[in-house]
Amino acid sequence: MSKTSVITARVDTDTLALVDRIAAAQGRSRSWFAAEAVRRMAEEEAAFLAFVQAGIDSADRGELIPQEEVFAHLRARRMKRHAA
C-alpha cells in the first residue's frame, strides 16, 4: 500500500451520523469512507478541470461554433421534441 497522510475536516453532526451509518452498512470504517469520498471527489474535479481546459484549448485554436449556429441547433431539437 502506498504511503498515506492525515487530513482533518469538520462536518456537522447530521453528516457524521450519515457517514457512520453508511460506513457501518458497508462494513467499513469512518476513515475508509472519508478517504474514498475525498478520492472520488478529487477525481471528479480533476476530470472537470481537464474538460474545461480542453474547451479553452479548442477556443485558443479557433475551434469555435458561432452562437447563432448553436441557437439554431437548439431550436431545431426543441421543435423536434415538441412535435413528437
Side-chain angles (χ1 to χ4, degrees):
M1 182 175 197
S2 63
K3 186 175 180 176
T4 62
S5 297
V6 175
I7 61 173
T8 302
R10 295 189 183 277
V11 296
D12 61 74
T13 55
D14 291 339
T15 301
L16 184 59
L18 181 59
V19 167
D20 286 342
R21 191 176 79 222
I22 294 169
Q26 295 179 345
R28 303 286 189 165
S29 68
R30 180 190 289 173
S31 178
W32 178 90
F33 182 90
E36 182 67 9
V38 169
R39 182 192 64 76
R40 287 183 187 186
M41 185 67 184
E43 287 177 355
E44 288 178 19
E45 288 297 313
F48 177 73
L49 291 174
F51 174 77
V52 169
Q53 189 59 54
I56 292 169
D57 294 345
S58 290
D60 288 346
R61 290 189 301 270
E63 300 168 356
L64 303 170
I65 300 172
Q67 181 176 354
E68 298 80 19
E69 189 177 325
V70 172
F71 284 164
H73 173 76
L74 293 174
R75 276 192 299 275
R77 285 186 60 177
R78 186 178 57 208
M79 292 178 75
K80 183 178 177 182
R81 187 176 67 235
H82 288 302

